[in-house]
Amino acid sequence: MKKITRKDLGKLKKRKDAGFTFIETLAVLAVTAILTSQIGIAAHKMIQKARVASAKAQIEQIKLSLENYFADCGRFPTEEQGLMALWEEPELFPLAENWNGPYTDKKISADPWGSEYVYLLKGSADSEKLPKGLPFGIISLGADRTEGGNGNDRDILSWE
């Protein structure tokens, strides 16, 4: 068995007390911050994609509800009656004689960005936005909450 000398004890003590330097600690923190920011950016992109998919699904559901309303009432709700006519029987003229709703499971809420859906009806003031031949359109203003936009901030249109 080897005898431990004072010199060996000194070496053991130095190893025990050894730690990270300030520079090494800063380097580890910098790498951690970079990796965390990349995860945050990726998560934000995924959330945006999920919102777009949700808006498209909600628009499809509204379109089906409008078709059911038309089948019962013989016409679509006016823009003044709006999409609320799918949930409650309209009180504004023209009244829906054969209304058999509600045509949705719940009130139509705002789009995933918090804006109301825009409802366009053929023959109304804004109907020039509708492609020829469509009786109605539904628009979500998207992330920028303004009409138009491009790239990732484009409006989501029921006819696209």
Side-chain angles (χ1 to χ4, degrees):
M1 188 158 124
K2 184 179 176 188
K3 208 173 183 188
I4 298 178
T5 63
R6 272 190 195 267
K7 189 177 179 183
D8 292 335
L9 282 175
K11 286 181 183 176
L12 285 174
K13 188 175 180 187
K14 282 184 183 175
R15 277 192 212 142
K16 184 178 174 185
D17 292 340
F20 293 110
T21 65
F22 182 67
I23 299 297
E24 290 170 331
T25 304
L26 284 178
V28 168
L29 289 174
V31 169
T32 303
I34 290 169
L35 293 174
T36 302
S37 69
Q38 293 300 317
I39 291 170
I41 291 168
H44 178 73
K45 287 180 182 178
M46 293 297 285
I47 289 170
Q48 285 304 98
K49 284 182 180 180
R51 285 181 174 170
V52 168
S54 175
K56 287 180 178 180
Q58 288 175 2
I59 287 173
E60 287 302 314
Q61 184 62 44
I62 293 169
K63 285 171 55 177
L64 289 172
S65 298
L66 283 167
E67 294 293 340
N68 289 333
Y69 181 99
F70 182 84
D72 285 348
C73 302
R75 60 174 182 73
F76 294 104
T78 64
E79 283 187 6
E80 291 78 23
Q81 292 169 336
L83 297 175
M84 193 61 172
L86 300 173
W87 179 249
E88 295 178 338
E89 186 171 356
E91 295 178 3
L92 297 174
F93 183 81
L95 298 177
E97 306 258 338
N98 297 322
W99 191 87
N100 193 23
Y103 296 94
T104 59
D105 294 341
K106 58 183 179 177
K107 273 185 174 180
I108 295 173
S109 61
D111 68 10
W113 297 275
S115 298
E116 295 296 319
Y117 286 100
V118 178
Y119 171 56
L120 302 173
L121 188 62
K122 183 179 181 179
S124 68
D126 289 335
S127 65
E128 75 276 351
K129 297 175 189 174
L130 287 172
K132 191 172 185 173
L134 288 182
F136 66 85
I138 311 292
I139 301 173
S140 168
L141 299 177
D144 63 357
R145 296 181 178 157
T146 58
E147 193 173 317
N150 53 24
N152 293 334
D153 289 333
R154 284 184 20 176
D155 292 348
I156 300 166
L157 310 171
S158 62
W159 56 88
E160 288 184 352

